[in-house]
Amino acid sequence: MRILAIAKKEAKIQLRYRIVWLNFALTPFFIISPWILTAKSFSVEFGEAVLIGSLMWYWLNQYFFGVQEAFEEEREEGTLVSIALSPISLLEFLTGKGLWMLVECVYITAVTMLIFWMLGISQALSLKMLLLYVVSGLYMFVFSILWGALILWFRRIGGINFIVQEVLGLTSGITADVSAYPKFIRFAAYAVPLTYTIKIGRMIFKGASLGDIIKDLGILTAVTIIYFIIGALMLKKAEQKLRIYGEWEAW
């Protein structure tokens, strides 16, 4: 119930700023369209593959920015201390924020898919792919808990958020098949959950069955759980440290 209360509070705030929803709808198109339309000029199938990779990467971006801003916004509004004084844990707090981010991401993705469908990528508008993006987004949210914990430990690293996202995106193969990368880059790529969600998404788009993806799905789940355990433990430790030293406003 406390998690739902956080999500409900976030919804009430965001729904007050209706013009922001226009920005939500159009921003992803302007960010990812150069890649997708360039790929489409080679072949429609290539454009579809890049669209899948780009949208999954965009979900990661939304969650990475979201968990980072979850702390910064509350601090700027002067309510971070109130959260510290409440019985809710920071993990519950981020989960509540994440529930509302899920609504935003579904809206952003649906509009982006519609725009690219209108631009001639006929398979872009697919309920199956939308559901797949939602599932991949849940993995990205769990992965982002680690980033949220790092932000709380090392607050200045928030400044390299953009670089981190770009590196994760390029490493994970948003515009290419990672199997074509040099060996040392592939090693890094297979340590990132986004690599597997993109690969699985492209396989399902081409008609792969559960049996075809089960291996990658298992690795994706295992890797994500490892990051979540590390992130949750770091978050708990950082929370204890903040409570002991009273550094909630030191940012």
Side-chain angles (χ1 to χ4, degrees):
M1 292 299 293
R2 292 185 300 198
I3 292 174
L4 291 177
I6 293 286
K8 186 177 179 181
K9 171 227 172 192
E10 195 66 20
K12 286 183 177 178
I13 294 173
Q14 295 296 332
L15 291 175
R16 289 180 182 175
Y17 305 99
R18 294 183 178 85
I19 192 68
V20 171
W21 290 83
L22 180 62
N23 182 58
F24 282 159
L26 298 179
T27 298
F29 170 74
F30 289 110
I31 291 176
I32 66 179
S33 64
W35 298 348
I36 297 168
L37 296 179
T38 300
K40 180 175 174 287
S41 69
F42 291 96
S43 74
V44 174
E45 290 76 15
F46 188 28
E48 290 167 345
V50 174
L51 174 62
I52 292 168
S54 300
L55 281 177
M56 288 184 171
W57 174 66
Y58 200 81
W59 276 75
L60 179 140
N61 288 348
Q62 288 299 109
Y63 276 121
F64 263 57
F65 272 124
V67 296
Q68 175 180 330
E69 291 175 353
F71 294 129
E72 293 181 352
E73 288 175 357
E74 298 293 339
R75 184 192 61 81
E76 290 172 358
E77 294 170 2
T79 52
L80 190 58
V81 173
S82 299
I83 293 170
L85 296 174
S86 72
I88 194 168
S89 70
L90 290 184
L91 184 58
E92 289 176 297
F93 166 70
L94 287 181
T95 303
K97 290 273 189 176
L99 279 180
W100 174 247
M101 279 185 258
L102 177 65
V103 176
E104 289 183 351
C105 287
V106 169
Y107 166 74
I108 291 169
T109 303
V111 173
T112 305
M113 292 169 73
L114 177 63
I115 292 173
F116 282 107
W117 173 74
M118 293 169 66
L119 290 176
I121 300 181
S122 60
Q123 298 300 315
L125 201 59
S126 162
L127 179 59
K128 179 178 72 175
M129 292 309 298
L130 180 60
L131 293 174
L132 192 60
Y133 294 134
V134 172
V135 173
S136 75
L138 296 177
Y139 280 96
M140 292 304 100
F141 170 66
V142 174
F143 180 40
S144 299
I145 294 296
L146 175 60
W147 179 254
L150 290 171
I151 289 293
L152 215 55
W153 269 99
F154 312 102
R155 292 159 203 172
R156 292 185 184 276
I157 68 168
I160 63 168
N161 191 326
F162 178 75
I163 295 174
V164 172
Q165 292 170 36
E166 292 292 322
V167 170
L168 289 175
L170 292 175
T171 305
S172 302
I174 56 174
T175 58
D177 187 338
V178 295
S179 63
Y181 286 172
K183 189 174 181 180
F184 73 97
I185 297 182
R186 288 204 306 272
F187 182 78
Y190 289 126
V192 179
L194 180 61
T195 302
Y196 299 97
T197 60
I198 291 175
K199 182 181 178 182
I200 292 170
R202 288 171 178 165
M203 290 172 69
I204 290 178
F205 185 79
K206 292 178 180 177
S209 65
L210 179 60
D212 296 325
I213 65 167
I214 193 69
K215 179 183 176 183
D216 289 301
L217 185 60
I219 297 173
L220 166 65
T221 303
V223 170
T224 306
I225 288 174
I226 291 172
Y227 284 125
F228 173 72
I229 291 173
I230 296 172
L233 290 175
M234 289 185 64
L235 195 65
K236 185 67 178 176
K237 195 71 178 176
E239 184 177 1
Q240 290 175 345
K241 180 172 174 281
L242 288 172
R243 291 185 188 281
I244 291 171
Y245 293 102
E247 297 175 336
W248 292 90
E249 297 301 326
W251 206 265

